[in-house]
Amino acid sequence: MGKEEIEAAVSVLKSGTLTNKSGAGPRVLEFEREFARLVGVKHAVAVNTGTAALHCALLAAGVKSADDVLIPSFTFAGTGTPVLLCGARPIFADIRSETYCISPEDIENAISRRTKVIMPVHLYGLSCDMDPIVEIARQRGITVVEDAAQAHGAEYKQRKVGSLGEMACFSFYSGSNMTTGEGGMITTNDDDLVQTLKMIRTHGEERPYWVSRIGNNYHMTEMVAAIGVAQLRRLGEFLERRRQNAKILTDQVGVSGKLALPSEPDGVKHSWCMYTVRLRGANAGKRNKIVERIRDKNIEASIYYETPLHLLPLYREASGLRKGSLPETERAARQVFSLPLHPGLTSEDMSYVADTVRRIVG
Ligand SMILES: Cc1ncc(COP(=O)(O)O)c(C=O)c1O
């Protein structure tokens, strides 16, 4: 948070307009307009979390209890929760080992007549391979909702993520590439969907106090939106610093070959929300010990995600999957860990991270 965000928040408090009945006050409208421009889409709809954004998108896609939603298991809980909230069945597809993103080939295996939505997650800030996913969905009349919670500013074949499916959802949680503390946004080019999304964000109201479909109170407040506008203006600078920090890690951390470094396939521009490495051939115990030793040196190494969704009891029941069902997902969950690279870290900080990790990993 800088001076701009603080002034923006104070100006909202002084204005006396903290929100409005449809969650579309002047600051929210400004944030939506500017966010849509950034992504290169016609519309953006602001809500109060990324999870709420995904829930709105699934409801707008018409997801109901008889439907399946196809998602990766190697992701944050926020990807799965909205599926369960719709009463739908989460169906999990495996990931590609080099990118950790959902595998289009495995989507083909997991798809069925019940599949209503495919929800690819641009994990760690790297776009999924969207062309084959969009093609599979198009052939079968399935809606694609991008989970872009971690991928503000990422690109796929010179298009911004958030413009590649029918709808896309972003989070402004504090660990994201830009933040408002909590917050979310849905982007779309569809003029009908945007009306539906706005209704869902306000209890499903068609007009004031006339509720005609299920919705919720998912309003973004004016103060949050004002902070969002200020952050959006700095996003380019944040992304550039993340990229520079990632480069320092890539140049310095992997010399021994024991770590597989993150990939940036041709035509894809990473947004470096996380810098995730794989300890080749390791089991979870060995990886966890390395992470502990790095953390002992005052470096905030983290594991995203130690337990894939399909192995959580809640999802095991819903999906019917067992250990061993998604081998690449389970292998990644045992072997990956992430290193800090946020824009507050200097080149010296990054060299300290790289040196320390190199010494510990060997
Ligand atoms: C992949 C993914 N999906 C969904 C979400 C949910 O977003 P929020 O925490 O804003 O509800 C997150 C949050 O970071 C996420 O990383």
Side-chain angles (χ1 to χ4, degrees), residues 1-66:
M1 289 294 131
K3 199 163 130 274
E4 300 89 335
E5 287 84 349
I6 293 166
E7 282 172 2
V10 170
S11 83
V12 170
L13 293 175
K14 285 183 176 164
S15 79
T17 304
L18 302 184
T19 187
N20 81 3
K21 268 194 224 163
S22 53
R27 304 303 184 115
V28 166
L29 293 177
E30 183 187 2
F31 189 25
E32 289 176 341
R33 242 185 347 260
E34 295 204 8
F35 199 83
R37 193 175 319 135
L38 168 92
V39 173
V41 291
K42 278 169 82 178
H43 309 287
V45 178
V47 291
N48 56 1
T49 65
T51 308
L54 288 165
H55 191 204
C56 288
L58 292 185
L59 289 174
V63 172
K64 297 198 178 63
S65 57

Side-chain angles (χ1 to χ4, degrees), residues 213-228:
R213 60 180 305 143
I214 194 161
N216 207 324
N217 175 2
Y218 283 150
H219 294 175
M220 176 179 278
T221 67
E222 286 287 283
M223 199 162 76
V224 165
I227 295 170

Side-chain angles (χ1 to χ4, degrees), residues 17-145:
T17 304
L18 302 184
T19 187
N20 81 3
K21 268 194 224 163
S22 53
R27 304 303 184 115
V28 166
L29 293 177
E30 183 187 2
F31 189 25
E32 289 176 341
R33 242 185 347 260
E34 295 204 8
F35 199 83
R37 193 175 319 135
L38 168 92
V39 173
V41 291
K42 278 169 82 178
H43 309 287
V45 178
V47 291
N48 56 1
T49 65
T51 308
L54 288 165
H55 191 204
C56 288
L58 292 185
L59 289 174
V63 172
K64 297 198 178 63
S65 57
D67 298 322
D68 288 351
V69 177
L70 217 158
I71 59 176
S73 170
F74 196 53
T75 182
F76 178 63
T79 307
T81 303
V83 180
L84 300 181
L85 287 174
C86 289
R89 189 170 61 163
I91 299 291
F92 296 107
D94 212 348
I95 53 169
R96 281 185 175 163
S97 65
E98 37 342 319
T99 63
Y100 309 109
C101 286
I102 196 165
S103 148
E105 298 73 32
D106 208 53
I107 287 178
E108 288 269 20
N109 296 334
I111 218 157
S112 80
R113 295 162 72 92
R114 283 179 50 152
T115 310
K116 184 89 174 174
V117 168
I118 301 173
M119 214 155 84
V121 179
H122 304 308
L123 201 73
Y124 305 141
L126 181 74
S127 174
C128 297
D129 189 3
M130 289 301 289
D131 279 351
I133 296 174
V134 168
E135 183 53 25
I136 293 165
R138 196 191 56 77
Q139 283 170 5
R140 296 168 170 87
I142 293 169
T143 303
V144 175
V145 175

Side-chain angles (χ1 to χ4, degrees), residues 261-277:
L261 303 185
S263 69
E264 195 176 32
D266 282 348
V268 179
K269 191 169 177 195
H270 211 307
S271 66
W272 298 110
C273 187
M274 285 132 184
Y275 189 96
T276 302
V277 297

